[in-house]
Structures are given as C-alpha cells and as structure tokens.
C-alpha cells in the first residue's frame, strides 16, 4: 500500500503498483489463445476509452446512464431515509457524477460523514476527493485506488450506517457464476441490520432497444470496442490492424445479455511482441470483448439471495428501463 494523500479530510491509499500491468498480459495470453477468443471488458478504460465511454453516456441510444440518473434524482432522499446512510462506499466511482445526488441527500438528511470511492484510476480518486471535500463541508473522504475485483478487503471498517453503491449496470459485465461470487464479496462489507447494497442493474426489454444502445448510429460504441486493441498495441507492443476489425453487438435472448465482439475482416496474424505471441485470426473470426447482462427482478432477487442478501426495494425509472435495488445481509 502507498499513501498518496493524507490530510484532515482526505486519505487516499493505492493498492495498484508496478506489476499490476500483469493483469492485461495474463488476460491477453489467456484470452487470445483460446478456441473462442475473449478479453475481459475492464481493459477498455484507458484515458481514451474512458473518454469514449463518457461520449457513449451522452448518446441518444444509450439509455442506462440517463435512466439511472433519473431514478437517483427522484429517489435519493427516499434511499437515504430508508438506510440512514452516514457513509457511502462506491465501487468504480469514476468522476462521481451520480454520487453527488446521494451525497446531497445525505447532507440534507444531516447524516453525511464519509465517502469511500474505490477506483483503479488514481487521478480520478484524487481529483474527486479534492472536489468533494470542497463541495460538502465536513465530509471526510477515504479513497482506495484499486481494482474492485481484487482489493475490497482494503475498504476501511464502517463509520456509521453504510451504503455500498455499485452503479451503472457494471454488475452485468460478470458471467452468472462470478457475479454471485462478486456479490458475496460485497456482502462481506455489510453488517446485518445496519448496512445496505445499492445496486444498479439494466433491465430486460425489447432487444431492439438494447441492441441500438450497444451499436449506436454515430459509431462511438464501435470505437470504444476497438479501443481495447489500441490498448494492447500500446501496452504489449502488439500490431493489431485496428480498422480491420468490425464492431458486432447482439442480444442473446436465452442468456439475457448483450455481447460485443470484434470480427476480423480478413485472415490476420497479430504479433504481441511483449508476450512473444502470434495470434492467428481466420476471416470473420470473432473476439468477444464484453457481455452486459440484463435483469428481471426475479433474477436479481435470486442472485442476491445466493450471496446472502435480501432484496428490500426496487426503484425504476418511469419507462422501466433500469433498476436501482436496495438489499441487505440476512
Ligand atoms: C459500464 C459496463 C455499464 O455494459 O453498458 C457501454 C459499458 N459497453 N457500451 C455497459 C458499455 C458498451 C457499460 N458498463
């Protein structure tokens, strides 16, 4: 652990150090040597990828961000009243745009004490800590620079009634088994009878609406998808011809998830020099880059129950596009 900043109001600790890049190397070695090629979506988000994702959130077709914000605008006061939250722990906090709605409601209820953002991007955690202690007088921030899949044990002991927020629908990026395992890890941060999980989940709906959200007419999602190849080219000295890959997005009705893939438009041999690896692509061969699961309330309840969590409340937007759920350990 490295302490990056420590003042009266702000403490930021980092758990990502040299050697952490292994995760990309391991995922590429693992994922590109399989019979069905696959990469985990977390490597989309370098600076360019984070910017492309911000642009996605503004697209007319991409409804989840707007729908979730609408729920928070409407119901934050109710969430705070139901939980008595004094502390907000946020996983994948980013710029904390939607967080402010919750922190404001906590201020208005007179309960706000501490914000604990967890994010892999050091600059994000430092900048948002700095901004938030200015915006919310008396707030303390304990930031964790780390991967929410690996560093949850570094989240400090609770300081008052806690809400752990995992927003945006990112829970959909996990396959069903690892989703339940991850939720079990989250449940360990919560005390029965006191603390709550606030989980953002995209809902099952007309596949045409979902597919448009992941294949927008301006082509921003396609660029976001291809960006993972640029990350690999730069970080692992690879030579992907990025423009030779076509963006593919489709809703799998049986599994109730949307998949993004990159389809090779011709035969290719790609060198990943840092790994001493040559990866052959057949014409039209596809590389899966993301799954984003869509939920029914029943499925959500089942996944939470498997993690020892009981669903207390489901809040949706007027069009039933997206859900924020409140649950607590049994
Ligand atoms: C950030 C994981 C919630 O799955 O909708 C947006 C990422 N991928 N467009 C999602 C994403 C394509 C997004 N999450």
């Amino acid at each position: 652990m490295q302490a990056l900043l420590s003042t009266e109001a702000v403490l930021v600790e980092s758990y990502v150090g040299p050697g952490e890049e292994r995760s990309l190397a391991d995922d590429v070695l693992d994922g590109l040597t399989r019979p069905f090629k696959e990469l985990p979506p977390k490597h989309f988000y370098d600076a360019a990828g984070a910017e492309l994702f911000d642009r996605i959130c503004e697209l007319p077709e991409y409804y989840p961000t707007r729908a979730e914000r609408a729920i928070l605008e409407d119901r934050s006061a109710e969430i705070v009243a139901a939980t008595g939250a004094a502390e907000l722990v946020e996983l994948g906090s980013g710029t904390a745009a939607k967080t402010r709605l919750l922190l404001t409601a906590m201020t208005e209820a007179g309960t706000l004490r501490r914000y604990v953002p967890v994010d892999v991007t050091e600059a994000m955690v430092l900048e948002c800590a700095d901004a938030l202690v200015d915006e919310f007088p008396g707030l303390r921030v304990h930031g964790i620079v780390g991967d929410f899949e690996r560093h949850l044990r570094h989240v400090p002991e609770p300081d008052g009634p806690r809400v752990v927020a995992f927003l945006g629908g990112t829970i959909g990026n996990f396959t069903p088994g690892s989703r339940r395992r991850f939720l079990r890890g989250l449940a360990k941060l919560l005390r029965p009878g006191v603390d709550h999980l606030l989980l953002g989940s995209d809902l099952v709906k007309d596949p045409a609406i979902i597919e448009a959200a992941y294949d927008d007419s301006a082509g921003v999602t396609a660029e976001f998808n291809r960006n993972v190849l640029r990350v690999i080219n730069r970080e692992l000295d690879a030579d992907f011809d990025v423009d030779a890959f076509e963006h593919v997005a489709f809703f799998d009705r049986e599994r109730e998830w949307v998949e993004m893939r990159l389809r090779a438009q011709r035969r290719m041999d790609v060198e990943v020099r840092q790994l001493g690896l040559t990866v052959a692509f057949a014409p039209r061969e596809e590389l899966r880059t993301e799954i984003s699961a869509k939920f029914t309330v029943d499925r959500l309840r089942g996944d939470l129950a498997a993690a020892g969590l009981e669903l207390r409340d489901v809040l949706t937007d007027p069009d039933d596009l997206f859900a924020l759920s409140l649950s607590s350990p049994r």
Side-chain angles (χ1 to χ4, degrees), residues 45 53 56 62 168-170 173 213-214 221 224 260 290 292 294:
Y45 301 92
F53 179 66
I56 287 174
Y62 193 76
T170 303
N173 279 171
Y214 291 82
T221 307
F224 174 74
M260 295 209 308
E290 181 174 55
S292 188
K294 308 304 164 195

Side-chain angles (χ1 to χ4, degrees), residues 119-130:
D119 201 280
V120 271
T121 309
E122 181 181 308
M124 288 280 197
V125 177
L126 286 168
E127 280 161 31
C128 100
D130 212 50

Side-chain angles (χ1 to χ4, degrees), residues 14-313:
S14 176
Y15 297 92
V16 301
E20 293 296 316
E21 315 79 59
R22 293 312 313 158
S23 144
L24 176 66
D26 289 347
D27 290 343
V28 167
L29 186 58
D30 215 52
L32 296 191
T33 56
R34 289 186 193 177
F36 296 98
K37 296 183 175 70
E38 177 167 28
L39 287 169
K42 66 175 174 183
H43 303 299
F44 283 132
Y45 301 92
D46 65 344
E51 206 161 293
L52 284 164
F53 179 66
D54 285 347
R55 283 176 57 199
I56 287 174
C57 294
E58 305 286 320
L59 293 168
E61 295 98 331
Y62 193 76
Y63 59 82
T65 311
R66 275 188 302 277
E68 188 179 50
R69 183 176 299 120
I71 302 168
L72 285 170
E73 273 165 2
D74 251 40
R75 316 285 291 271
S76 282
E78 195 181 314
I79 292 166
V80 172
T83 59
E87 172 176 273
L88 181 64
V89 178
E90 188 177 18
L91 310 180
S93 48
T95 55
K98 286 173 273 191
T99 316
R100 283 175 169 82
L101 296 166
L102 286 165
L103 295 176
T104 300
M106 291 159 77
T107 304
E108 284 165 1
T111 55
L112 180 64
R113 271 194 247 167
R114 185 166 70 163
Y115 177 53
V116 181
V118 180
D119 201 280
V120 271
T121 309
E122 181 181 308
M124 288 280 197
V125 177
L126 286 168
E127 280 161 31
C128 100
D130 212 50
L132 290 173
V133 293
D134 276 353
E135 285 170 50
F136 297 89
L139 174 70
R140 283 174 301 109
V141 177
H142 184 143
I144 304 285
V145 180
D147 180 340
F148 57 64
E149 284 188 72
R150 289 183 300 138
H151 299 122
L152 283 188
R153 64 182 179 282
H154 301 299
V155 170
E157 285 302 304
D159 177 17
R162 161 181 281 181
V163 167
V164 171
F166 190 40
L167 303 179
T170 303
I171 190 66
N173 279 171
F174 292 90
T175 52
S178 60
R179 181 195 309 148
R180 290 180 171 199
R181 197 168 346 110
F182 179 71
L183 288 172
R184 266 201 300 281
L186 291 192
K188 289 199 195 116
L189 299 173
L190 305 171
R191 299 160 298 174
V194 192
D195 301 331
H196 291 83
L197 173 65
L198 181 67
L199 182 66
S201 317
D202 196 10
L203 296 172
V204 171
K205 61 183 66 63
D206 179 355
I209 296 178
I210 298 174
E211 286 176 352
Y214 291 82
D215 191 8
D216 63 277
S217 57
V220 182
T221 307
E223 275 317 299
F224 174 74
N225 194 6
R226 284 190 278 261
N227 186 59
V228 72
L229 303 181
R230 294 195 187 93
V231 170
I232 296 169
N233 280 351
R234 184 186 63 237
E235 298 297 323
L236 299 175
D237 194 17
D239 65 355
F240 276 103
D241 177 357
V242 174
D243 295 324
F245 286 83
E246 183 185 0
H247 171 66
V248 176
F250 66 94
F251 185 62
D252 181 330
R253 287 164 202 243
E254 211 149 300
R255 298 190 172 90
E256 297 184 318
W257 68 43
V258 64
E259 274 193 45
M260 295 209 308
R261 299 181 177 191
L262 289 166
R263 182 188 291 146
Q265 286 173 294
R266 51 178 166 82
R267 216 207 83 75
M268 274 181 272
D269 279 323
V270 177
E271 299 291 337
V272 188
R273 286 181 207 96
Q274 221 179 85
L275 301 178
L277 181 71
T278 306
V279 184
F281 283 86
R284 300 188 65 76
E285 184 174 348
E286 293 177 356
L287 157 63
R288 182 161 74 178
T289 51
E290 181 174 55
I291 65 162
S292 188
K294 308 304 164 195
F295 293 83
T296 59
V297 171
D298 279 343
R299 191 128 126 247
L300 202 54
R301 187 182 290 108
D303 285 340
L304 290 165
L309 293 162
E310 193 171 324
L311 184 59
R312 305 276 170 193
D313 206 358

